[in-house]
Amino acid sequence: MQLVFASNNPNKIKEIQLLLPNTLQILSLEDVGCLEEIPETAPTIEGNAIQKANYITEKYGYPCFADDTGLEVEALNGEPGVYSARYAGEQKNADDNMAKLLHNLSNKTNRKAQFKTVICLNLNGNQHLFEGIIKGEIIPEKRGSAGFGYDPIFVPTGYDKTFAEMPIGEKSKISHRGLAVEKLIAFLTH
């Protein structure tokens, strides 16, 4: 089975392809000729995942799944949330985003946070949502060089390493995206 994954993020595509059985082949947006920016204008993480999947299904006619992920920090009323990628501006720079987040948390003692991924699957005329959440906390300084996004400052509950200090295989097993993808795979392989 071929499914389009509505993402131009090579890190995400690689992470998800590693989790999928060989019977499922992931096509990138480039593979289907989608070179334009897909709108992400919904006010929620769920809404963005749905918007991206619908865009590909409606415009290109492929079965498709799309994800959206946000980091939700308790002391900041759930920020950056749906704005995680562009928290420090439209340049979508991970270092700028982490710097802004650490600055906004500098006088807070509560550092609890969670990563939330929602996957929207459009298949055979039906739409399905899968959610993955991992709780943890934001540490005051970056550690590790693997991963992407906020990984260097997020330590999942029960671990002493940031996502950026974990090998991709370990991170994928416990991460928000990994949990959502597990639910997607269970659905697709039944």
Side-chain angles (χ1 to χ4, degrees):
M1 180 198 287
Q2 288 188 329
L3 271 179
V4 175
F5 178 29
S7 176
N8 278 317
N9 184 327
N11 294 310
K12 278 189 192 179
I13 293 168
K14 190 166 109 187
E15 209 170 275
I16 286 183
Q17 187 69 69
L18 283 173
L19 298 166
L20 292 173
N22 294 338
T23 53
L24 283 169
Q25 186 196 354
I26 296 298
L27 298 175
S28 69
L29 291 175
E30 200 177 317
D31 292 334
V32 299
C34 177
L35 304 175
E36 68 269 23
E37 274 294 305
I38 298 176
E40 288 185 63
T41 54
T44 63
I45 292 167
E46 292 84 354
N48 274 342
I50 291 167
Q51 185 180 29
K52 290 190 278 190
N54 287 349
Y55 183 89
I56 295 303
T57 302
E58 289 162 14
K59 193 159 180 194
Y60 293 90
Y62 282 92
C64 169
F65 69 96
D67 80 320
D68 198 40
T69 295
L71 175 66
E72 300 171 331
V73 181
E74 202 173 273
L76 302 177
N77 300 315
E79 278 186 18
V82 73
Y83 303 106
S84 292
R86 53 190 184 277
Y87 191 46
E90 286 304 316
Q91 74 278 15
K92 296 184 177 178
N93 181 286
D95 289 322
D96 294 349
N97 289 338
M98 285 186 281
K100 179 176 179 177
L101 183 69
L102 292 173
H103 174 77
N104 290 347
L105 276 176
S106 60
N107 61 351
K108 309 263 193 257
T109 52
N110 176 1
R111 305 195 62 99
K112 288 184 194 156
Q114 67 179 26
F115 270 117
K116 175 177 167 181
T117 292
V118 176
I119 294 175
C120 175
L121 171 68
N122 286 347
L123 185 65
N124 302 328
N126 295 308
Q127 192 164 76
H128 309 274
L129 295 179
F130 308 94
E131 183 181 86
I133 290 177
I134 180 141
K135 296 186 178 299
E137 66 177 50
I138 303 299
I139 59 169
E141 73 291 315
K142 294 188 255 184
R143 288 196 335 235
S145 57
F148 55 97
Y150 296 90
D151 287 356
I153 58 171
F154 182 83
V155 175
T157 302
Y159 291 80
D160 56 6
K161 290 189 277 192
T162 67
F163 270 167
E165 293 175 301
M166 293 180 182
I168 190 168
E170 184 182 352
K171 176 192 168 192
S172 295
K173 281 187 189 127
I174 64 164
S175 77
H176 44 293
R177 188 170 295 107
L179 297 170
V181 169
E182 243 175 63
K183 293 175 185 175
L184 171 71
I185 292 167
F187 177 82
L188 289 171
T189 54
H190 270 92

